Amino acid sequence: MSWLVAAVLAASSLEQRATAAVRERFELAGRTLPADDPRLSDAARSLARRALERSASDAAGLLAVTDAVSVAGGWDASPIAVIIKAPRDQLLDALSNQRQLTNEPASAFGLGIAEQGERVALCVLLAQRKIDLAPVTRRYPKPPKSVTVCGALIAPLESAELYVTAPSGSVLRSPMGASAFGHCGTFKPVAGRSVVEVLARGPRGPEVAALFFVDVGASAATADQQVIEPASPADARRAIHARVNALRRTLALAPVVQDKALEAVAQAYANRLADEGFFAHVDPAGGDLKSRLAAARYRFAGAGENLGASSGPLAAHFGIEHSPGHRANLLEPGHRALGIGIATRAEDGLTVLVQVLASPIDDGGADPVGAAYQAIDEHRARKGLRPLKRHPVLEALAQEHARRSLARDSLKAELPDGSKLHERVFATLADAREAAIDLAVIESPAQVPASKNLADRRYTAFGLGLARGDSATYGNDKLWLVVIYASEGGADDAEKPEHSAPGTR
């Protein structure tokens, strides 16, 4: 028997004993042993060799783990990597003392060992499987026409989308439709490395169900990743903010600014994730990002949330950048503000990172009525229309109707006594020839409805009213808007006044 064959058999025997030790740890913890996955075992052997050649922390890095899993044909997103380096006769004892093995839920695992003389490295990969993925080719000599990704989602996940980060850094998104093969989606890769992700949705919100690489041609991508963590949470926030804006600059997107209100929301949720032991976009009580922002009375046109966990905040952020779905949040053109929350789990020292990005709504400052008038003027200017005259009588009527509409929680031009607002316009403004009304409940003065009335060339004057308040029908802290448009006739005009039907948005 050659020394190489003997070494392979010895490593195999040690792997078997190590696997038995892992099984024993799960049994002692009263946990079901995850299913043995040969793809994860192949990846674990590769990472064990990397740990011997470099270091355990290098082998456990996100990119190194994802690369090893992808090359082995796997797809589990961010599996937990437990890596041990020890003399051969101490390895199993060191493995038995690893509490991390049973800390997190896992339904699949792989184990691999690499040896170099008496030095041994062991890697255990633990994954909570969320999709059973059909085989996908990971390397092509030249770009194929398309690549199809199909898989059966594991309950309670119900729907999925396909996200792909192209070699350029841009993110492509496409739906995954249900078929006889599970949920399927396609994309067209180009030369270089694409990061492919299946983002599934269930009761806990969006979850990364699969993550792997597809390489076309001679890819220059590397699994090397150097992470030097900042000295404090404040430094970490500045570093992450700088990285987000650097990423946005590569695609000519406007930068995001750090927002203290969003930071408070993100930090409060990071604290909950660390203290309460869950990790999801939807909390155990069913609250989601929208409800958290509403509780903070933060007005927004759009918002997104990224969650990450790693040995430090910057490492967690690298994981977020690495995930196409999370990266899409960072690259959303409409996002203009960012809040970052950082907390540490006491049980294992893991850092939890929460990023909240949003498109905040301008509330008009000290003069929301003036801001609404300006928004209408700007709408008309973009259409090449002349400005309308701001009419105090119309404004008084509109303001009164906005307050009364909010008070009765009813968005109608007709009053409780049966009279209509446009009839009051004609009764109050003697020279009005035509009138139209827009009614809306909005978040911001900038959201005035771009209706056909606003763009009608017949109208020469207008007045608007705003009332802010809470509504059982439309929600809290909303603006109730009434806009009255009118055309004024001359004093010698003998024609009978006419009116157009009120426009409601």
Side-chain angles (χ1 to χ4, degrees):
M1 181 184 299
S2 71
W3 68 270
L4 180 59
V5 173
V8 170
L9 290 176
S12 176
S13 173
L14 192 55
E15 281 188 4
Q16 291 173 0
R17 285 186 285 157
T19 299
V22 172
R23 293 179 184 277
E24 184 179 359
R25 284 302 311 275
F26 272 85
E27 289 171 357
L28 290 173
R31 299 273 300 277
T32 302
L33 180 69
D36 191 356
D37 187 313
R39 291 167 295 243
L40 291 179
S41 291
D42 285 346
R45 293 185 188 102
S46 173
L47 293 169
R49 289 192 296 271
R50 187 181 180 103
L52 277 181
E53 295 166 0
R54 303 190 181 193
S55 67
S57 60
D58 178 89
L62 174 69
L63 292 183
V65 171
T66 305
D67 188 66
V69 171
S70 183
V71 169
W75 61 86
D76 295 300
S78 304
I80 297 167
V82 178
I83 298 178
I84 301 170
K85 291 175 68 175
R88 167 183 274 273
D89 60 356
Q90 298 176 23
L91 185 69
L92 296 181
D93 287 340
L95 178 61
S96 297
N97 292 327
Q98 280 289 331
R99 294 183 179 180
Q100 189 179 359
L101 284 173
T102 56
N103 278 352
E104 302 289 341
S107 58
F109 91 110
L111 184 148
I113 284 177
E115 296 185 81
Q116 194 174 70
E118 286 301 309
R119 296 172 62 239
V120 180
L122 175 145
C123 174
V124 180
L125 290 177
L126 296 156
Q128 180 67 16
R129 186 145 296 165
K130 299 175 182 178
I131 186 172
D132 286 323
L133 204 68
V136 180
T137 300
R138 306 301 168 89
R139 181 173 289 279
Y140 296 87
K142 59 181 181 180
K145 290 184 179 179
S146 65
V147 172
T148 299
V149 178
C150 288
L153 293 172
I154 296 175
L157 299 177
E158 298 176 343
S159 62
E161 292 176 296
L162 188 64
Y163 284 81
V164 179
T165 300
S168 65
S170 61
V171 178
L172 310 174
R173 173 183 177 182
S174 60
M176 295 184 74
S179 72
F181 305 100
H183 284 75
C184 295
T186 61
F187 72 99
K188 181 174 175 55
V190 297
R193 166 164 285 185
S194 296
V195 186
V196 182
E197 177 179 274
V198 176
L199 189 68
R201 293 183 181 274
R204 288 157 39 99
E207 299 184 41
V208 181
L211 183 68
F212 56 92
F213 299 136
V214 169
D215 292 301
V216 177
S219 173
T222 175
D224 293 340
Q225 176 180 308
Q226 296 295 323
V227 179
I228 300 176
E229 290 293 350
S232 68
D235 289 342
R237 287 188 178 90
R238 283 190 288 269
I240 292 169
H241 179 229
R243 284 194 63 88
V244 170
N245 280 337
L247 182 63
R248 290 176 68 88
R249 279 197 301 272
T250 63
L251 297 177
L253 297 173
V256 292
V257 299
Q258 292 193 67
D259 185 309
K260 289 297 184 183
L262 288 183
E263 182 179 312
V265 172
Q267 187 60 54
Y269 198 55
N271 292 341
R272 286 196 63 191
L273 294 177
D275 296 341
E276 299 177 26
F278 70 96
F279 191 79
H281 292 282
V282 178
D283 67 33
D288 58 8
L289 175 61
K290 185 176 180 180
S291 65
R292 291 190 282 276
L293 290 173
R297 302 185 79 83
Y298 189 93
R299 289 188 290 276
F300 61 97
E305 182 179 68
N306 289 332
L307 306 181
S310 191
S311 56
L314 202 54
H317 175 72
F318 283 162
I320 285 170
E321 281 190 4
H322 180 57
S323 158
H326 293 78
R327 189 184 184 94
N329 269 339
L330 300 179
L331 297 177
E332 168 57 45
H335 288 160
R336 302 195 308 276
L338 168 68
I340 299 170
I342 300 169
T344 302
R345 292 200 320 204
E347 61 185 25
D348 55 12
L350 196 72
T351 295
V352 175
L353 175 67
V354 176
Q355 298 173 344
V356 179
L357 298 106
S359 306
I361 289 176
D362 184 1
D363 63 4
D367 184 18
V369 171
Y373 274 116
Q374 181 180 346
I376 291 178
D377 289 341
E378 290 173 354
H379 273 299
R380 287 183 63 88
R382 285 194 292 270
K383 294 179 178 293
L385 301 173
R386 64 184 178 182
L388 298 171
K389 181 177 71 174
R390 184 170 169 173
H391 201 295
V393 173
L394 296 178
E395 181 174 312
L397 288 172
Q399 189 62 52
E400 179 190 358
H401 196 81
R403 287 195 295 266
R404 295 178 70 176
S405 296
L406 171 61
R408 66 177 186 268
D409 197 12
S410 175
L411 194 67
K412 295 180 180 178
E414 184 173 343
L415 300 174
D417 61 5
S419 64
K420 296 179 173 58
L421 180 56
H422 62 265
E423 293 174 350
R424 297 190 66 201
V425 173
F426 294 126
T428 308
L429 199 64
D431 61 346
R433 288 175 42 79
E434 295 174 303
I437 299 160
D438 279 345
L439 307 170
V441 176
I442 57 179
E443 298 273 1
S444 161
Q447 294 178 321
V448 293
S451 68
K452 63 180 182 180
N453 299 321
L454 182 150
D456 197 318
R457 295 178 181 274
R458 293 175 298 171
Y459 299 125
T460 57
F462 74 132
L464 65 85
L466 285 175
R468 182 182 294 281
D470 300 341
S471 161
T473 304
Y474 297 98
N476 295 336
D477 201 28
K478 298 292 193 296
L479 285 171
W480 290 63
L481 170 73
V482 177
V483 186
I484 303 174
Y485 298 95
S487 60
E488 299 172 285
D492 57 350
D493 194 330
E495 291 188 68
K496 184 179 178 180
E498 301 174 356
H499 70 269
S500 62
T504 301
R505 278 286 183 95

